[in-house]
Amino acid sequence: MATVLQNDKILLRPHQVVDIEPLFAAVRESIAEISPWLPWCHAAFSKDELAGFIEVSRNGWVDGSQYQFAIFDMASSTALGGISLNHIAKSNRLANMGYWVRTSATGRGIATEAARLVARYGFGELGLTRIEIAAIPENVASRRVAERVGAKFEAVARNRMVMHGRAYDAALYSLVPGDVVG
């Protein structure tokens, strides 16, 4: 689990137990903006939930079922959010990519930079041939990240995501090797 991805702005690495406090602060700051799109981010989100997530994340690296990264600012080491490759279908060499960035760091290209790094990792190191990004159509910020990284819009897939106990349509984007820009 020593995988570290970085550029001049950000550092991505697998979650560690020491990340609980800084990531918890990032989540708490961002609940109002993130909760409509990510059901795990709710008003009662707790450190215990985050600790459980970090344990699942670390186990995912071991068994190859998911690759979750914490995002940090290179200059300040501030926790900025998270990004992952999950829902991996090994036989078809595809995965889903999901990401979030703390409210105070949005609008700075953090999610786009992280998505580029993780897509290159997925294609180069994991041998993926397709990465999907699915977002509720109204989640304009996530859709713009997908577009800026080079993902192609394919469709609005009906009932593609279930959140808050309800099925939602999702704007579906795909990346294949060679698509990643920047």
Side-chain angles (χ1 to χ4, degrees), residues 121-138:
Y121 175 77
F123 295 135
E125 299 299 318
L126 302 178
L128 298 174
T129 58
R130 179 180 171 90
I131 296 173
E132 294 180 349
I133 300 169
I136 301 292
E138 294 78 17

Side-chain angles (χ1 to χ4, degrees), residues 10 15 18 20 22 27 31 34-35 39 68 71 81 85 92 108 117 153 155 165 174:
I10 57 173
H15 294 95
V18 298
I20 291 174
V27 171
I31 288 174
I34 296 173
S35 63
Q68 303 269 358
I71 306 170
L85 292 172
N92 289 315
R108 297 183 359 213
L117 290 168
F153 175 74
S174 69

Side-chain angles (χ1 to χ4, degrees), residues 15-28 40 42 44-58 68 70 79 81-82 100:
H15 294 95
Q16 300 175 6
V17 174
V18 298
D19 298 336
I20 291 174
E21 290 296 329
L23 284 175
F24 186 71
V27 171
R28 296 300 304 169
W40 60 264
H42 53 85
F45 186 78
S46 70
K47 288 182 187 175
D48 286 341
E49 285 177 274
L50 183 54
F53 166 77
I54 287 174
E55 182 177 343
V56 168
S57 171
R58 292 174 61 78
Q68 303 269 358
W100 69 276

Side-chain angles (χ1 to χ4, degrees), residues 41-86:
C41 186
H42 53 85
F45 186 78
S46 70
K47 288 182 187 175
D48 286 341
E49 285 177 274
L50 183 54
F53 166 77
I54 287 174
E55 182 177 343
V56 168
S57 171
R58 292 174 61 78
N59 291 337
W61 278 89
V62 172
D63 67 21
S65 63
Q66 58 182 329
Y67 299 89
Q68 303 269 358
F69 294 88
I71 306 170
F72 296 92
D73 182 90
M74 281 292 286
S76 69
S77 299
T78 301
L80 300 177
I83 187 164
S84 65
L85 292 172
N86 53 40

